[in-house]
């Protein structure tokens, strides 16, 4: 494994995002392929979620007072593992086991495998439904913990997502914060050409949600959106619509046309790490 | 004639000829859409045993919450919701979020009892139950009305294959209760069992039969209700009730039938089934309110093979592998061979 660049003191969110991307690329190298473009596009959101917005304890991933993070798009597991490693919830040396037999880091995220993984994804469109129950349960307990859910624009095609969106509004679940990753790429092509989910902000507002749309790769905008979501009016569930760039931070991956599931030549992983290093904040 | 062929013929007749009521001596029965009770005339019953039992269970178990997808009144959950409005969740006509949210509530330490019709739980929300409840091993109780053929509304509401679907799912306990007496005992038992449960429900005025036998429910146990040298009935759900009536009728012909009641379809009490079937000389009749594919009958058959038990004869009474007709429930139970009269005739014919 390549030597990790030393962690800067008072690590900035930008540096967290860099290290999440780096962890993801290293895991991609283990497999030689994977959902690496998604991991790169969502790293900024994960950096803000884990190192600015959420409460958690690395030594106690099931701590009752934690905020819950539900990964609905289970194939983004490589991204969440990268964040969990950066958070110290998953030991860094497990990175090399990603997607291998008997690993705690399977290719698709599952609740029983990985510390810090709250649900079993893989089948898309499950996360928001579970989040509704989590949010109801936390309110029942009088807990002020929040339920964060990450899902992807392709999942907007699942009817269950809209069932959950309506249920969250019905119950006034203001302890729910969802992030939809609009990277405009699903398995068969650009999401906006597959399903007419736009205008998304108008739709979600009409469904009773507080909504903020941002450039999901602008760290300041992401941080402000999470802050605004936390401070949004009571009684409304909150949605951050994050427009992101597949492969963000690695120019030759950003430019790849078919980047839903990427195959990368062996020598290119080094190039990807070099590109991340070049873009690392000073 | 195969039921499918009969149905095709009936449809053709409906389209080509006007009805001639005089042609049939029997009065033409009408469909009761979501039948409130399967009780026969004069049968002892109890109202809404599930709803009342859940209220009782919830008094001492603060983790229990009730959830439904617009079918509270039709699953007897409304009894619970009236008693505990702040512990009840109306999820609307949305079975996917019903079961996903049930998983989420269970993950936060609660024990949701989530109700709908059997068809909607198993066919519409299968993946949600499979992934968010069974795979995550969440403590959710799925309680479903209109199991098997208990609605004359047609295939949209007839859950002929629900047991096959749920048996195939890892981690899932599958229960097919017989009557009000049993339902009252199952509710606290499954509340105390940690993990997912699928429970078929009889609702409304539910017959009482098993109290006569001094029966008590145990999760995972089959119980010999009565013994008899001439035949062994292996039954679950409302077919146990039918088997009881059939056995009483057969006494007039000096036929003594044993009844092994198997309310827990999974995990199956293989030892009790093998022990009962190993008793020599008795033909076995499995009776189930379910398609003959993938339910109790095939589970019992596999059990007997595994235990190298060859019964004197094997008879499987269940619903055909077909989309069932719409119509009045008594008519349909006769047509598909699961009414008391139809079962009695079949057993007599088999015993010669």
């Amino acid at each position: 494994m390549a030597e990790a660049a030393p962690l800067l003191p008072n690590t900035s969110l930008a540096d967290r995002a860099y290290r999440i991307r780096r962890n993801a690329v290293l895991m991609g190298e283990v497999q030689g392929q994977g959902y690496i473009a998604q991991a790169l596009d969502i790293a900024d959101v994960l950096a803000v979620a884990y190192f600015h917005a959420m409460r958690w304890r690395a030594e106690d991933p099931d701590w009752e007072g934690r905020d819950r993070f539900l990964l609905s798009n289970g194939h983004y597991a490589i991204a969440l593992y990268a964040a969990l490693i950066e958070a110290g919830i998953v030991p860094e040396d497990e990175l090399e086991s990603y997607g291998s037999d008997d690993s705690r880091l399977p290719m698709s995220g599952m609740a029983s495998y990985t510390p810090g993984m709250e649900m079993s994804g893989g089948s898309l469109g499950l996360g928001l439904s579970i989040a509704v129950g989590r949010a109801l349960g936390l309110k029942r307990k009088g807990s002020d913990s929040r339920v964060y859910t990450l899902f992807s624009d392709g999942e907007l095609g699942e009817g269950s997502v809209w069932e959950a969106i309506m249920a969250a509004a019905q119950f006034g679940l203001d302890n729910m914060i969802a992030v939809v990753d609009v990277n405009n790429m699903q398995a068969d092509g650009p999401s906006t050409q597959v399903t007419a989910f736009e205008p998304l902000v108008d739709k979600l507002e009409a469904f009773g949600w507080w909504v903020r749309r941002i450039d999901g790769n602008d760290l300041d905008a992401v941080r402000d959106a999470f802050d605004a979501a936390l401070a949004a009016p009571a009684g409304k569930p909150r949605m951050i619509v994050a427009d992101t760039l597949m492969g963000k931070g690695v120019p030759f991956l950003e430019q790849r046309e078919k980047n839903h599931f990427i195959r990368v030549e062996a020598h290119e992983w080094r190039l990807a790490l070099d590109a991340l290093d070049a873009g690392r904040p000073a | 004639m195969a039921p499918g062929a009969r149905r095709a013929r009936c449809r053709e007749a409906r389209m080509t000829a006007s009805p001639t009521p005089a042609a049939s001596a029997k009065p033409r029965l009408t469909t009761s859409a979501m039948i409130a009770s399967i009780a026969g005339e004069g049968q002892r019953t109890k109202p809404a045993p599930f709803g009342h039992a859940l209220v009782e269970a919830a008094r001492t178990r603060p983790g229990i919450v009730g959830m439904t997808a617009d079918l509270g009144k039709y699953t007897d959950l409304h009894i619970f919701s009236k008693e505990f409005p702040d512990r009840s969740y109306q999820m609307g006509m949305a079975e996917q979020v019903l079961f996903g949210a049930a998983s989420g509530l269970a993950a936060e330490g609660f024990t949701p009892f989530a109700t709908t019709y059997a068809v909607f739980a198993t066919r519409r929300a299968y993946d949600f139950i499979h992934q968010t409840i069974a795979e995550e091993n969440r403590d959710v109780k799925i309680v479903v009305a209109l199991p098997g053929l208990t609605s004359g509304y047609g295939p949209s509401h007839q859950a002929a294959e629900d047991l096959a679907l749920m048996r195939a799912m890892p981690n899932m306990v599958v229960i097919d209760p017989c009557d009000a007496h049993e339902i009252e005992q199952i509710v606290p038992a499954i509340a105390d069992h940690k993990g997912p449960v699928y429970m078929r429900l009889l609702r409304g005025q539910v017959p009482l039969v098993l109290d006569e036998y001094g029966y008590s429910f145990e999760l995972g146990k089959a119980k010999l209700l009565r013994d008899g040298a001439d035949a062994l009935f292996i039954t679950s759900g409302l077919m146990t009730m039918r088997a009881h009536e059939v056995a009483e009728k057969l006494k007039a012909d000096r036929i003594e039938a044993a009844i092994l009641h198997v309310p827990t379809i999974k995990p199956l009490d293989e030892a009790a089934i093998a022990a009962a079937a190993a008793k020599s000389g008795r033909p076995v009749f499995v009776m189930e309110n379910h398609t003959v594919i993938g339910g109790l009958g095939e589970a019992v058959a596999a059990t007997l093979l595994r235990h190298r038990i060859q019964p004197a004869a094997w008879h499987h009474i269940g619903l055909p592998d077909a989309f069932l007709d719409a119509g009045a429930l008594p008519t349909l139970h006769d047509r598909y061979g699961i009414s008391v009269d139809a079962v009695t005739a079949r057993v007599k014919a088999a015993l010669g």
Side-chain angles (χ1 to χ4, degrees), chain A residues 68 110 112 118-121 123 125-126 129-130 132-134 136-138 140-141 160 163-164 167 171, chain B residues 65 86-87 89-91 94-97 100-101 103-105 107-108 110 127-128 131-132 135-136 138:
Chain A
R68 280 64 166 156
M110 286 179 276
S112 58
E118 301 269 7
M119 64 166 278
S120 295
S123 174
L126 302 179
S129 288
I130 298 173
V132 166
R134 289 287 190 122
L136 289 171
L138 288 170
R140 279 209 78 74
K141 290 192 277 194
S160 60
E163 287 186 14
F171 291 108
Chain B
V65 294
D86 62 330
R87 291 164 71 173
Y89 296 102
Q90 172 59 264
M91 302 308 293
E95 290 78 17
Q96 298 178 109
V97 75
S103 163
L105 272 155
E108 294 300 338
F110 296 97
D127 188 43
F128 280 70
Q131 284 303 110
T132 77
E135 198 279 338
E136 294 187 8
R138 300 297 187 197

Short mmCIF file of all heavy atoms in Angstrom, two decimals, chain A residues 68 110 112 118-121 123 125-126 129-130 132-134 136-138 140-141 160 163-164 167 171, chain B residues 65 86-87 89-91 94-97 100-101 103-105 107-108 110 127-128 131-132 135-136 138:
data_model
loop_
_atom_site.label_atom_id
_atom_site.label_comp_id
_atom_site.label_asym_id
_atom_site.label_seq_id
_atom_site.Cartn_x
_atom_site.Cartn_y
_atom_site.Cartn_z
N ARG A 68 -27.81 8.53 13.29
CA ARG A 68 -27.82 7.35 12.43
C ARG A 68 -27.53 7.77 10.99
O ARG A 68 -28.10 8.75 10.51
CB ARG A 68 -29.20 6.67 12.46
CG ARG A 68 -29.47 5.77 13.67
CD ARG A 68 -29.50 6.48 14.98
NE ARG A 68 -30.07 5.69 16.06
CZ ARG A 68 -29.81 5.87 17.33
NH1 ARG A 68 -28.97 6.83 17.72
NH2 ARG A 68 -30.38 5.13 18.26
N MET A 110 -23.89 -3.94 4.10
CA MET A 110 -24.87 -4.74 4.84
C MET A 110 -24.68 -4.54 6.34
O MET A 110 -23.57 -4.50 6.84
CB MET A 110 -24.76 -6.21 4.47
CG MET A 110 -25.34 -6.51 3.09
SD MET A 110 -25.17 -8.24 2.63
CE MET A 110 -23.51 -8.24 1.97
N SER A 112 -25.07 -6.33 8.98
CA SER A 112 -24.46 -7.31 9.88
C SER A 112 -22.95 -7.45 9.67
O SER A 112 -22.29 -8.12 10.43
CB SER A 112 -25.15 -8.67 9.70
OG SER A 112 -25.02 -9.08 8.36
N GLU A 118 -25.59 0.93 9.19
CA GLU A 118 -26.85 0.83 9.92
C GLU A 118 -27.91 0.01 9.21
O GLU A 118 -28.92 -0.37 9.81
CB GLU A 118 -27.43 2.25 10.17
CG GLU A 118 -26.52 3.18 10.96
CD GLU A 118 -26.78 3.10 12.47
OE1 GLU A 118 -27.56 2.24 12.90
OE2 GLU A 118 -26.16 3.91 13.20
N MET A 119 -27.76 -0.22 7.91
CA MET A 119 -28.79 -0.96 7.17
C MET A 119 -28.16 -1.79 6.07
O MET A 119 -27.00 -1.59 5.72
CB MET A 119 -29.81 -0.01 6.55
CG MET A 119 -29.22 0.92 5.48
SD MET A 119 -30.47 1.77 4.47
CE MET A 119 -30.88 0.50 3.25
N SER A 120 -28.93 -2.73 5.54
CA SER A 120 -28.49 -3.52 4.40
C SER A 120 -29.08 -2.92 3.13
O SER A 120 -30.29 -2.93 2.93
CB SER A 120 -28.96 -4.97 4.55
OG SER A 120 -28.34 -5.57 5.66
N GLY A 121 -28.22 -2.37 2.32
CA GLY A 121 -28.69 -1.78 1.06
C GLY A 121 -28.58 -2.77 -0.07
O GLY A 121 -28.76 -3.96 0.12
N SER A 123 -30.48 -3.53 -2.65
CA SER A 123 -31.75 -3.37 -3.35
C SER A 123 -32.15 -1.91 -3.17
O SER A 123 -32.36 -1.45 -2.05
CB SER A 123 -32.79 -4.31 -2.75
OG SER A 123 -34.05 -4.07 -3.33
N GLY A 125 -33.81 1.84 -3.04
CA GLY A 125 -35.10 2.40 -2.64
C GLY A 125 -35.56 1.96 -1.26
O GLY A 125 -36.69 2.22 -0.87
N LEU A 126 -34.69 1.30 -0.49
CA LEU A 126 -35.08 0.84 0.85
C LEU A 126 -34.82 1.89 1.93
O LEU A 126 -35.53 1.96 2.93
CB LEU A 126 -34.29 -0.43 1.24
CG LEU A 126 -34.39 -1.67 0.37
CD1 LEU A 126 -33.50 -2.79 0.93
CD2 LEU A 126 -35.82 -2.17 0.28
N SER A 129 -37.39 4.44 3.58
CA SER A 129 -38.45 3.76 4.33
C SER A 129 -37.97 3.38 5.72
O SER A 129 -38.67 3.57 6.72
CB SER A 129 -38.91 2.49 3.59
OG SER A 129 -39.65 2.82 2.45
N ILE A 130 -36.76 2.81 5.77
CA ILE A 130 -36.20 2.46 7.08
C ILE A 130 -36.00 3.73 7.91
O ILE A 130 -36.29 3.76 9.11
CB ILE A 130 -34.87 1.72 6.91
CG1 ILE A 130 -35.07 0.40 6.16
CG2 ILE A 130 -34.22 1.45 8.27
CD1 ILE A 130 -33.78 -0.32 5.80
N VAL A 132 -37.69 6.41 7.95
CA VAL A 132 -38.96 6.85 8.54
C VAL A 132 -39.19 6.13 9.87
O VAL A 132 -39.53 6.75 10.89
CB VAL A 132 -40.14 6.59 7.56
CG1 VAL A 132 -41.49 6.72 8.27
CG2 VAL A 132 -40.07 7.57 6.39
N GLY A 133 -38.94 4.82 9.88
CA GLY A 133 -39.11 4.07 11.13
C GLY A 133 -38.09 4.45 12.18
O GLY A 133 -38.42 4.56 13.37
N ARG A 134 -36.84 4.66 11.74
CA ARG A 134 -35.81 5.10 12.69
C ARG A 134 -36.20 6.44 13.32
O ARG A 134 -36.06 6.64 14.53
CB ARG A 134 -34.47 5.27 11.96
CG ARG A 134 -33.82 3.96 11.53
CD ARG A 134 -33.27 3.25 12.74
NE ARG A 134 -32.43 2.14 12.39
CZ ARG A 134 -31.15 2.00 12.77
NH1 ARG A 134 -30.58 2.93 13.49
NH2 ARG A 134 -30.47 0.94 12.44
N LEU A 136 -39.20 7.79 13.58
CA LEU A 136 -40.34 7.59 14.48
C LEU A 136 -39.87 7.00 15.81
O LEU A 136 -40.31 7.43 16.89
CB LEU A 136 -41.38 6.65 13.83
CG LEU A 136 -42.18 7.21 12.66
CD1 LEU A 136 -42.98 6.09 12.00
CD2 LEU A 136 -43.12 8.32 13.11
N GLY A 137 -38.98 6.03 15.72
CA GLY A 137 -38.48 5.37 16.93
C GLY A 137 -37.70 6.33 17.82
O GLY A 137 -37.86 6.32 19.05
N LEU A 138 -36.85 7.15 17.21
CA LEU A 138 -36.07 8.11 18.01
C LEU A 138 -37.01 9.10 18.70
O LEU A 138 -36.81 9.45 19.87
CB LEU A 138 -35.07 8.83 17.11
CG LEU A 138 -33.89 7.97 16.65
CD1 LEU A 138 -33.08 8.69 15.57
CD2 LEU A 138 -32.99 7.59 17.82
N ARG A 140 -40.10 8.50 19.58
CA ARG A 140 -40.75 7.74 20.66
C ARG A 140 -39.89 7.71 21.90
O ARG A 140 -40.38 7.75 23.03
CB ARG A 140 -40.97 6.28 20.25
CG ARG A 140 -42.14 5.98 19.39
CD ARG A 140 -42.65 4.55 19.63
NE ARG A 140 -43.42 4.49 20.84
CZ ARG A 140 -44.65 4.98 20.94
NH1 ARG A 140 -45.24 5.52 19.91
NH2 ARG A 140 -45.29 4.91 22.08
N LYS A 141 -38.57 7.58 21.69
CA LYS A 141 -37.65 7.46 22.82
C LYS A 141 -37.30 8.82 23.42
O LYS A 141 -36.56 8.90 24.40
CB LYS A 141 -36.34 6.78 22.37
CG LYS A 141 -36.53 5.30 22.06
CD LYS A 141 -35.20 4.58 21.90
CE LYS A 141 -34.62 4.73 20.52
NZ LYS A 141 -33.52 3.78 20.25
N SER A 160 -41.17 3.31 -3.82
CA SER A 160 -41.03 3.28 -2.37
C SER A 160 -40.39 4.56 -1.84
O SER A 160 -40.66 4.97 -0.69
CB SER A 160 -40.19 2.08 -1.94
OG SER A 160 -38.90 2.16 -2.52
N GLU A 163 -43.21 6.83 -1.38
CA GLU A 163 -44.00 6.40 -0.21
C GLU A 163 -43.35 6.98 1.05
O GLU A 163 -44.03 7.53 1.93
CB GLU A 163 -44.02 4.87 -0.09
CG GLU A 163 -44.88 4.15 -1.11
CD GLU A 163 -44.98 2.64 -0.84
OE1 GLU A 163 -44.60 2.19 0.26
OE2 GLU A 163 -45.42 1.92 -1.74
N ALA A 164 -42.04 6.85 1.14
CA ALA A 164 -41.34 7.31 2.35
C ALA A 164 -41.35 8.83 2.43
O ALA A 164 -41.48 9.40 3.52
CB ALA A 164 -39.91 6.78 2.35
N ALA A 167 -44.67 9.70 3.77
CA ALA A 167 -44.83 9.30 5.18
C ALA A 167 -44.05 10.25 6.09
O ALA A 167 -44.55 10.64 7.15
CB ALA A 167 -44.36 7.86 5.38
N PHE A 171 -45.79 12.46 9.13
CA PHE A 171 -45.44 12.39 10.55
C PHE A 171 -44.58 13.59 11.00
O PHE A 171 -44.15 13.63 12.15
CB PHE A 171 -44.70 11.08 10.85
CG PHE A 171 -45.58 9.86 10.75
CD1 PHE A 171 -45.45 8.97 9.70
CD2 PHE A 171 -46.55 9.61 11.70
CE1 PHE A 171 -46.27 7.85 9.60
CE2 PHE A 171 -47.38 8.49 11.62
CZ PHE A 171 -47.24 7.61 10.56
N VAL B 65 -45.50 -1.70 19.36
CA VAL B 65 -46.24 -0.66 18.64
C VAL B 65 -47.03 -1.33 17.52
O VAL B 65 -46.68 -2.41 17.06
CB VAL B 65 -45.32 0.43 18.05
CG1 VAL B 65 -44.64 1.23 19.16
CG2 VAL B 65 -44.28 -0.17 17.11
N ASP B 86 -51.33 6.50 20.84
CA ASP B 86 -49.97 7.05 20.71
C ASP B 86 -48.94 5.97 20.41
O ASP B 86 -47.77 6.26 20.24
CB ASP B 86 -49.59 7.81 21.99
CG ASP B 86 -49.57 6.92 23.20
OD1 ASP B 86 -50.36 5.94 23.22
OD2 ASP B 86 -48.78 7.15 24.13
N ARG B 87 -49.36 4.72 20.35
CA ARG B 87 -48.44 3.64 19.98
C ARG B 87 -48.84 3.03 18.64
O ARG B 87 -48.43 1.92 18.31
CB ARG B 87 -48.44 2.56 21.07
CG ARG B 87 -47.79 3.05 22.37
CD ARG B 87 -48.11 2.16 23.55
NE ARG B 87 -47.45 0.87 23.49
CZ ARG B 87 -47.49 -0.03 24.49
NH1 ARG B 87 -48.16 0.25 25.59
NH2 ARG B 87 -46.87 -1.19 24.36
N TYR B 89 -49.32 3.51 14.37
CA TYR B 89 -48.86 4.25 13.19
C TYR B 89 -49.67 3.84 11.97
O TYR B 89 -49.66 2.68 11.56
CB TYR B 89 -47.37 3.98 12.93
CG TYR B 89 -46.49 4.47 14.04
CD1 TYR B 89 -45.96 3.59 14.98
CD2 TYR B 89 -46.20 5.83 14.17
CE1 TYR B 89 -45.16 4.05 16.01
CE2 TYR B 89 -45.41 6.30 15.20
CZ TYR B 89 -44.88 5.41 16.12
OH TYR B 89 -44.10 5.87 17.14
N GLN B 90 -50.40 4.80 11.43
CA GLN B 90 -51.12 4.59 10.17
C GLN B 90 -50.19 5.00 9.04
O GLN B 90 -49.89 6.18 8.87
CB GLN B 90 -52.39 5.45 10.16
CG GLN B 90 -53.11 5.47 8.84
CD GLN B 90 -53.55 4.09 8.36
OE1 GLN B 90 -52.86 3.44 7.57
NE2 GLN B 90 -54.68 3.62 8.87
N MET B 91 -49.70 4.04 8.26
CA MET B 91 -48.70 4.33 7.24
C MET B 91 -49.33 4.65 5.89
O MET B 91 -48.62 4.92 4.92
CB MET B 91 -47.73 3.17 7.10
CG MET B 91 -47.00 2.79 8.38
SD MET B 91 -46.18 4.18 9.22
CE MET B 91 -44.91 4.59 8.04
N ALA B 94 -49.43 1.98 1.61
CA ALA B 94 -48.03 2.01 1.19
C ALA B 94 -47.28 0.89 1.93
O ALA B 94 -46.69 1.11 2.98
CB ALA B 94 -47.42 3.38 1.51
N GLU B 95 -47.34 -0.30 1.36
CA GLU B 95 -46.81 -1.47 2.08
C GLU B 95 -45.28 -1.46 2.16
O GLU B 95 -44.70 -2.03 3.08
CB GLU B 95 -47.28 -2.76 1.40
CG GLU B 95 -48.77 -3.05 1.57
CD GLU B 95 -49.64 -2.21 0.65
OE1 GLU B 95 -49.11 -1.64 -0.33
OE2 GLU B 95 -50.85 -2.10 0.91
N GLN B 96 -44.63 -0.82 1.20
CA GLN B 96 -43.17 -0.82 1.24
C GLN B 96 -42.67 0.00 2.42
O GLN B 96 -41.80 -0.43 3.18
CB GLN B 96 -42.61 -0.29 -0.09
CG GLN B 96 -43.01 -1.20 -1.25
CD GLN B 96 -42.51 -0.68 -2.59
OE1 GLN B 96 -41.61 -1.25 -3.18
NE2 GLN B 96 -43.09 0.40 -3.05
N VAL B 97 -43.24 1.18 2.59
CA VAL B 97 -42.82 1.99 3.75
C VAL B 97 -43.35 1.38 5.04
O VAL B 97 -42.73 1.52 6.10
CB VAL B 97 -43.19 3.48 3.58
CG1 VAL B 97 -44.66 3.73 3.81
CG2 VAL B 97 -42.37 4.35 4.54
N GLY B 100 -40.59 -1.24 5.68
CA GLY B 100 -39.31 -0.56 5.88
C GLY B 100 -39.29 0.20 7.20
O GLY B 100 -38.33 0.11 7.98
N ALA B 101 -40.37 0.92 7.48
CA ALA B 101 -40.44 1.68 8.73
C ALA B 101 -40.54 0.74 9.93
O ALA B 101 -40.01 1.05 11.01
CB ALA B 101 -41.62 2.64 8.70
N SER B 103 -39.02 -2.05 10.14
CA SER B 103 -37.62 -2.42 10.36
C SER B 103 -36.90 -1.32 11.14
O SER B 103 -36.14 -1.59 12.08
CB SER B 103 -36.92 -2.65 9.02
OG SER B 103 -35.52 -2.62 9.17
N GLY B 104 -37.13 -0.07 10.75
CA GLY B 104 -36.47 1.05 11.42
C GLY B 104 -36.88 1.18 12.89
O GLY B 104 -36.05 1.40 13.76
N LEU B 105 -38.18 0.99 13.16
CA LEU B 105 -38.64 1.04 14.56
C LEU B 105 -38.04 -0.10 15.37
O LEU B 105 -37.66 0.08 16.53
CB LEU B 105 -40.17 0.99 14.60
CG LEU B 105 -40.85 2.36 14.51
CD1 LEU B 105 -42.26 2.24 13.96
CD2 LEU B 105 -40.89 3.04 15.88
N ALA B 107 -35.18 -1.49 14.77
CA ALA B 107 -33.76 -1.17 14.97
C ALA B 107 -33.57 -0.21 16.13
O ALA B 107 -32.51 -0.19 16.76
CB ALA B 107 -33.18 -0.56 13.69
N GLU B 108 -34.59 0.58 16.43
CA GLU B 108 -34.52 1.49 17.57
C GLU B 108 -35.05 0.85 18.85
O GLU B 108 -35.26 1.53 19.86
CB GLU B 108 -35.28 2.78 17.26
CG GLU B 108 -34.64 3.61 16.14
CD GLU B 108 -33.21 4.05 16.47
OE1 GLU B 108 -32.84 4.09 17.65
OE2 GLU B 108 -32.45 4.33 15.52
N PHE B 110 -37.94 -1.15 19.31
CA PHE B 110 -39.36 -1.42 19.47
C PHE B 110 -39.74 -2.75 18.82
O PHE B 110 -38.96 -3.32 18.05
CB PHE B 110 -40.19 -0.26 18.89
CG PHE B 110 -39.95 1.02 19.63
CD1 PHE B 110 -39.04 1.97 19.15
CD2 PHE B 110 -40.59 1.27 20.84
CE1 PHE B 110 -38.79 3.14 19.85
CE2 PHE B 110 -40.34 2.44 21.55
CZ PHE B 110 -39.44 3.38 21.05
N ASP B 127 -39.68 -7.89 -1.16
CA ASP B 127 -38.27 -7.46 -1.07
C ASP B 127 -38.02 -6.66 0.21
O ASP B 127 -36.97 -6.77 0.83
CB ASP B 127 -37.90 -6.64 -2.30
CG ASP B 127 -36.41 -6.34 -2.36
OD1 ASP B 127 -35.61 -7.25 -2.09
OD2 ASP B 127 -36.04 -5.21 -2.69
N PHE B 128 -39.01 -5.84 0.60
CA PHE B 128 -38.84 -5.04 1.81
C PHE B 128 -38.80 -5.93 3.05
O PHE B 128 -38.04 -5.68 3.98
CB PHE B 128 -39.95 -3.98 1.91
CG PHE B 128 -39.64 -2.79 1.04
CD1 PHE B 128 -39.67 -2.91 -0.34
CD2 PHE B 128 -39.25 -1.59 1.59
CE1 PHE B 128 -39.34 -1.84 -1.15
CE2 PHE B 128 -38.91 -0.50 0.79
CZ PHE B 128 -38.96 -0.63 -0.58
N GLN B 131 -35.31 -7.94 2.77
CA GLN B 131 -34.07 -7.19 3.00
C GLN B 131 -34.06 -6.42 4.32
O GLN B 131 -33.09 -6.46 5.06
CB GLN B 131 -33.82 -6.22 1.83
CG GLN B 131 -33.30 -6.90 0.58
CD GLN B 131 -32.02 -7.66 0.84
OE1 GLN B 131 -32.00 -8.88 0.81
NE2 GLN B 131 -30.95 -6.94 1.13
N THR B 132 -35.14 -5.69 4.59
CA THR B 132 -35.07 -4.80 5.75
C THR B 132 -35.46 -5.52 7.05
O THR B 132 -35.09 -5.08 8.12
CB THR B 132 -35.94 -3.53 5.59
OG1 THR B 132 -37.32 -3.84 5.81
CG2 THR B 132 -35.78 -2.91 4.21
N GLU B 135 -33.32 -10.15 6.46
CA GLU B 135 -31.86 -10.12 6.35
C GLU B 135 -31.25 -9.38 7.54
O GLU B 135 -30.22 -9.79 8.08
CB GLU B 135 -31.43 -9.46 5.04
CG GLU B 135 -29.97 -9.76 4.64
CD GLU B 135 -28.93 -8.90 5.34
OE1 GLU B 135 -29.28 -7.80 5.82
OE2 GLU B 135 -27.77 -9.33 5.43
N GLU B 136 -31.88 -8.29 7.96
CA GLU B 136 -31.36 -7.55 9.12
C GLU B 136 -31.80 -8.17 10.45
O GLU B 136 -31.42 -7.70 11.51
CB GLU B 136 -31.80 -6.08 9.04
CG GLU B 136 -31.18 -5.34 7.86
CD GLU B 136 -31.46 -3.83 7.86
OE1 GLU B 136 -32.01 -3.32 8.86
OE2 GLU B 136 -31.13 -3.17 6.86
N ARG B 138 -34.68 -8.22 12.10
CA ARG B 138 -35.35 -7.25 12.97
C ARG B 138 -36.56 -7.88 13.65
O ARG B 138 -37.22 -8.76 13.10
CB ARG B 138 -35.79 -6.03 12.17
CG ARG B 138 -34.67 -5.28 11.46
CD ARG B 138 -33.66 -4.69 12.41
NE ARG B 138 -32.69 -3.85 11.70
CZ ARG B 138 -31.53 -3.47 12.21
NH1 ARG B 138 -31.18 -3.84 13.44
NH2 ARG B 138 -30.71 -2.71 11.51
#
